[in-house]
Amino acid sequence: MTQRLTRRSALAGVMAAPLALGTATAGATAAPADRAAAGPRTLKAPTPLRSGDTVAVVAPSGHVTPASQRTRVLSGIEKMKAWGLNVVEGEHLWDSDPTVGLAGTDEDRAADLLAAWKDPDVDAIITARGGYGAQRTLEVMDPKALREGTGKWLAGYSDTTVLLSRINVETGLQTLHGPGVTGIATADPATLESMRRILFGEVEAGESLLGGLTPWREGSVEGRLVGGNVTMLATSVATGDLMSTKGAIVVLEDVGDAGYVLDRNFTKLRRSGWLDDAAGFVLGDFSMASTPADTEKILRDRILSLGKPTWVGGSFGHITANRSLPMGAAAVLESGTLRLG
């Protein structure tokens, strides 16, 4: 039976003695990323998981109480247990705010995230799902509290994009853009292995993260990985949540919205200047409400005019084959392949 992680158990002994920033102790949180300094600096990888380690499942966004979501969460938990991991549930994992479809109140979702982040007995956190609500979760917490954790992976994507990036900014630690627990339930075997190998520290420098990319503009670049869901990035500009794209390889994906919404979000990112200093771009899945032809037209217009190497067809985003990407890690983009640097 999966254990329940409560705020009391998670915070016991941690708040009394928060870890110092930049400590060399294994598993400790790295120093905060310097947003004003050189952007290409790569971030520290969290301590790799081992068989017998504990993973916390929290829901900082949409609720998982509907029967279909609950079934997928439970299935995803069983697959993580098959990796040899123990799984604990956030105290409010199964809560629901029926008025907006969130996993309980903003304060409770924030409490679950911070409790798991600070708990020395939790070795990684995987969000239950995306949806909506992560920005509201950040709104009611002090992001600097993330510096008090015991350096660990946080994994998820879509709405979780803003949490991944904020942890990069505050701690100098890499985060994992990959399936949440509901995605683990339905992922294909290659996607599951992609996620497992990164979490367990089995991917070495030079290994492929994404292959079979198609060039819209040729070019080879090196840089740290930055990005995620376009909607979340656009709505997070000027919040302090986003890592610098200076010298970075920016990975982008989105889903569902009409073409004009996608265009508007890219235009906001362009006007803010956030995309200006990127080294290059990798586009993943864009399963939008507009036709594929119209979606491609928008992407070409908004990205290629930036004049940077651009490769498309990345197997990540709102698809079953959602390969994992270590955000903040050094990477190399060349000859249709994105490799770990």
Side-chain angles (χ1 to χ4, degrees):
M1 183 175 181
T2 304
Q3 295 176 304
R4 179 61 60 91
L5 176 69
T6 66
R7 274 181 283 185
R8 178 176 295 179
S9 64
L11 294 175
V14 180
M15 293 300 290
L19 290 173
L21 297 178
T23 176
T25 304
T29 302
D34 184 353
R35 278 171 270 167
R41 185 173 70 82
T42 55
L43 307 187
K44 177 183 176 182
T47 303
L49 292 179
R50 299 175 297 176
S51 180
D53 280 350
T54 296
V55 172
V57 176
V58 300
S61 301
H63 63 185
V64 291
T65 50
S68 60
Q69 294 287 349
R70 183 181 183 90
T71 297
R72 291 175 66 188
V73 169
L74 294 175
S75 175
I77 286 173
E78 290 306 310
K79 290 190 176 183
M80 288 190 288
K81 289 180 178 179
W83 291 347
L85 298 171
N86 300 315
V87 179
V88 295
E89 298 174 357
E91 182 178 359
H92 302 281
L93 174 63
W94 303 107
D95 288 2
S96 177
D97 180 344
T99 60
V100 288
L102 302 180
T105 68
D106 298 340
E107 291 77 13
D108 286 344
R109 296 196 315 279
D112 276 7
L113 176 62
L114 287 175
W117 186 253
K118 295 178 180 181
D119 189 343
D121 294 325
V122 169
D123 303 293
I125 304 170
I126 302 181
T127 58
R129 58 167 293 199
Y132 166 71
Q135 288 173 319
R136 290 177 55 133
T137 299
L138 276 173
E139 184 182 21
V140 300
M141 59 183 274
D142 179 2
K144 290 183 175 61
L146 294 166
R147 302 181 186 183
E148 299 172 6
T150 55
K152 64 191 71 174
W153 285 109
L154 174 76
Y157 80 113
S158 192
D159 196 60
T160 305
T161 290
V162 65
L163 299 176
L164 301 177
S165 185
R166 190 74 202 209
I167 286 173
N168 295 149
V169 169
E170 293 296 339
T171 71
L173 286 172
Q174 296 174 26
T175 51
L176 193 63
H177 185 284
V181 181
T182 56
I184 291 173
T186 58
D188 61 49
T191 295
L192 288 176
E193 185 65 358
S194 164
M195 184 176 196
R196 188 198 67 77
R197 292 189 68 234
I198 292 177
L199 289 174
F200 280 73
E202 297 175 5
V203 179
E204 299 180 355
E207 284 196 49
S208 173
L209 298 171
L210 298 171
L213 303 175
T214 300
W216 278 359
R217 173 171 281 114
E218 294 271 6
S220 299
V221 295
E222 299 181 13
R224 68 182 182 188
L225 294 178
V226 175
N229 182 262
V230 172
T231 297
M232 294 305 298
L233 296 170
T235 53
S236 299
V237 166
T239 62
D241 295 330
L242 302 185
M243 267 206 301
S244 167
T245 62
K246 184 176 181 180
I249 298 173
V250 180
V251 296
L252 300 167
E253 63 84 27
D254 214 330
V255 68
D257 284 323
Y260 75 89
V261 178
L262 180 65
D263 184 281
R264 177 187 292 157
N265 285 331
F266 266 110
T267 301
K268 184 173 184 180
L269 289 173
R270 287 169 57 101
R271 293 187 65 207
S272 72
W274 189 72
L275 298 173
D276 290 353
D277 295 326
F281 298 95
V282 178
L283 304 187
D285 183 68
F286 281 84
S287 297
M288 312 305 294
S290 55
T291 67
D294 286 345
T295 298
E296 180 174 334
K297 182 178 179 181
I298 292 166
L299 292 173
R300 284 181 177 272
D301 176 77
R302 298 286 77 192
I303 291 291
L304 291 182
S305 56
L306 293 168
K308 308 296 175 65
T310 303
W311 296 77
V312 303
S315 187
F316 64 95
H318 289 74
I319 49 177
T320 302
N322 181 17
R323 303 293 192 264
S324 291
L325 301 170
M327 307 306 289
V332 179
L333 175 61
E334 61 181 357
S335 303
T337 301
L338 179 68
R339 296 185 286 105
L340 189 66

